[in-house]
Amino acid sequence: MDATETRPLTPAGRRIATAAEELFYERGITGVGVDLIAEHSGVTKRTLYNQFGSKDHLVAVYLAERDRRWRSLVRATVDACATPRDAVLAPFEALATWSATHTRGCAFINALAELPDPAHPAHRIATAQKLWLLDLFETLATAANCPAPTPLARQLLLLHEGTLATQPLPLDTLTEATNLARTLIASATTQ
């Protein structure tokens, strides 16, 4: 079963997914076993396996759902922008909203660090999320009439990801990264 398949979850499946998301994000994927997830969700391990098949699939479901919510927030932020040039900065604005409740850094960066095997289903989801953001930056830069959207998109992705990687530190890198992104966008779209 693929994590991107939409199969309605039973109430027990929703409890498992919710518990897994909290535990994986707070304690790390490799640091959390199915026993702990079952305990936190109030189900047996058998129910967990009946619902998800394996821990790997549950991790993929966790990241796929998180990715869906993140993309939805970014799209809504882009759609709310007054101009195409403003929209290029929207992922940084979405990150400010997202970071208010997700303070342990990026679940996708964390997953890539914990699950280095490119064949792991969760690794593929995390990689796809990063490539989606790169493509979005390029699409938005193109819509803003940037003559060289690919280099700008890569620079913005580096800033965005650097902000996520430093989020757990007692620094305000998001403000600085957003200001730097604004400067890069202004320079790239006025050439």
Side-chain angles (χ1 to χ4, degrees):
M1 176 185 318
D2 186 294
T4 58
E5 290 177 16
T6 54
R7 182 181 97 179
L9 292 176
T10 65
R14 281 192 295 277
R15 286 195 317 273
I16 294 166
T18 298
E21 178 170 2
E22 292 168 8
L23 291 166
F24 289 150
Y25 187 68
E26 291 302 321
R27 299 183 187 192
I29 294 166
T30 57
V32 173
V34 294
D35 289 327
L36 185 61
I37 296 167
E39 178 186 325
H40 277 254
S41 58
V43 302
T44 64
K45 280 190 347 183
R46 181 177 179 172
T47 300
L48 186 148
Y49 285 116
N50 284 340
Q51 292 290 309
F52 296 97
S54 68
K55 178 183 173 184
D56 287 349
H57 184 253
L58 179 57
V59 172
V61 167
Y62 148 64
L63 288 177
E65 174 57 22
R66 198 170 184 92
D67 183 37
R68 184 197 63 73
R69 290 192 319 265
W70 166 246
R71 289 183 193 207
S72 177
L73 174 63
V74 172
R75 285 186 191 111
T77 307
V78 167
D79 291 346
C81 290
T83 68
R85 189 167 152 184
D86 291 343
V88 183
L89 194 64
F92 288 90
E93 293 169 1
L95 184 55
T97 301
W98 184 269
S99 295
T101 57
H102 301 87
T103 58
R104 194 179 167 269
C106 178
F108 302 101
I109 291 174
N110 298 344
L112 289 169
E114 289 190 72
L115 307 169
D117 180 2
H120 193 287
H123 184 98
R124 290 192 303 266
I125 291 168
T127 299
Q129 188 273 336
K130 299 305 176 188
L131 294 175
W132 171 82
L133 187 58
L134 176 63
D135 183 61
L136 178 65
F137 276 129
E138 187 168 351
T139 299
L140 296 171
T142 300
N145 295 317
C146 176
T150 301
L152 177 62
R154 289 177 184 248
Q155 292 170 345
L156 294 174
L157 181 71
L158 288 171
L159 278 174
H160 197 272
E161 296 306 299
T163 299
L164 285 165
T166 58
Q167 184 181 8
L169 301 174
L171 306 169
D172 182 13
T173 58
L174 179 55
T175 299
E176 290 180 35
T178 302
N179 290 336
L180 184 53
R182 187 176 289 112
T183 301
L184 287 170
I185 293 164
S187 175
T189 56
T190 56
Q191 295 176 353

